[in-house]
Amino acid sequence: MGKIGKIWFLSVLVLFIAFMAVVIQTFRPVRNVQPNDVMQIKGVVTNIKEGSGFDILITLKNDEHQYYINRGLQHNLEIKEVRKQILNQPVTLYVVKRWTIFTQDKNMGHISKLTNNDIVIFNEIKEQ
């Protein structure tokens, strides 16, 4: 293999490793959320609906992000009850903070904790 072939091979190898690192970071599952893994978002809830995979989708006023409680319906949450508690109410969301190619602002939209007037409605954060 000549010098040009070696340079080409090394270039492709470096690009492949970088691509795999981005893919792994992007599709790594959210598990064992710690308090320093989240960012706080405050807003008024404008819509709550059921998503695919038993998720609960939440939309905030003047926020383009789509927030969700992963498998919320399997966590003993019911859409009707959640609507009664937080629809058109100010809430605090604690969402997973992680950079990916799709979430360059680090806001993944995955809700780890949901509070309304200091009442915890949902929490999956593991306290240290």
Side-chain angles (χ1 to χ4, degrees):
M1 186 184 318
K3 186 175 183 180
I4 293 177
K6 288 179 183 177
I7 291 172
W8 181 86
F9 177 75
L10 286 174
S11 299
V12 169
L13 180 65
V14 167
L15 288 173
F16 176 75
I17 290 171
F19 173 77
M20 290 306 295
V22 168
V23 167
I24 289 169
Q25 174 66 14
T26 299
F27 297 106
R28 181 173 51 128
V30 176
R31 295 189 186 137
N32 300 322
V33 179
Q34 303 295 319
N36 58 347
D37 295 334
V38 297
M39 58 195 262
Q40 195 178 86
I41 306 289
K42 294 184 179 201
V44 175
V45 176
T46 58
N47 192 16
I48 301 168
K49 61 185 177 181
E50 182 176 344
S52 61
F54 303 103
D55 293 350
I56 297 175
L57 305 177
I58 297 175
T59 306
L60 297 181
K61 186 176 184 178
N62 299 324
D63 191 334
E64 75 266 2
H65 294 93
Q66 183 68 50
Y67 299 100
Y68 67 97
I69 299 175
N70 192 41
R71 303 203 177 270
L73 298 175
Q74 291 180 334
H75 289 288
N76 296 324
L77 295 174
E78 294 182 20
I79 295 285
K80 290 179 184 178
E81 288 300 315
V82 174
R83 279 189 184 129
K84 281 186 206 175
Q85 290 177 312
I86 64 172
L87 189 59
N88 298 317
Q89 298 291 316
V91 296
T92 303
L93 307 177
Y94 296 83
V95 297
V96 173
K97 173 179 60 174
R98 183 190 299 167
W99 184 92
T100 71
I101 194 73
F102 302 114
T103 59
Q104 296 180 3
D105 63 354
K106 297 184 181 181
N107 183 341
M108 286 196 62
H110 177 105
I111 300 171
S112 292
K113 186 175 181 180
L114 168 63
T115 63
N116 177 15
N117 297 324
D118 297 326
I119 298 170
V120 177
I121 296 168
F122 173 76
N123 186 11
E124 68 177 6
I125 297 175
K126 308 290 185 219
E127 300 297 329
Q128 296 177 354

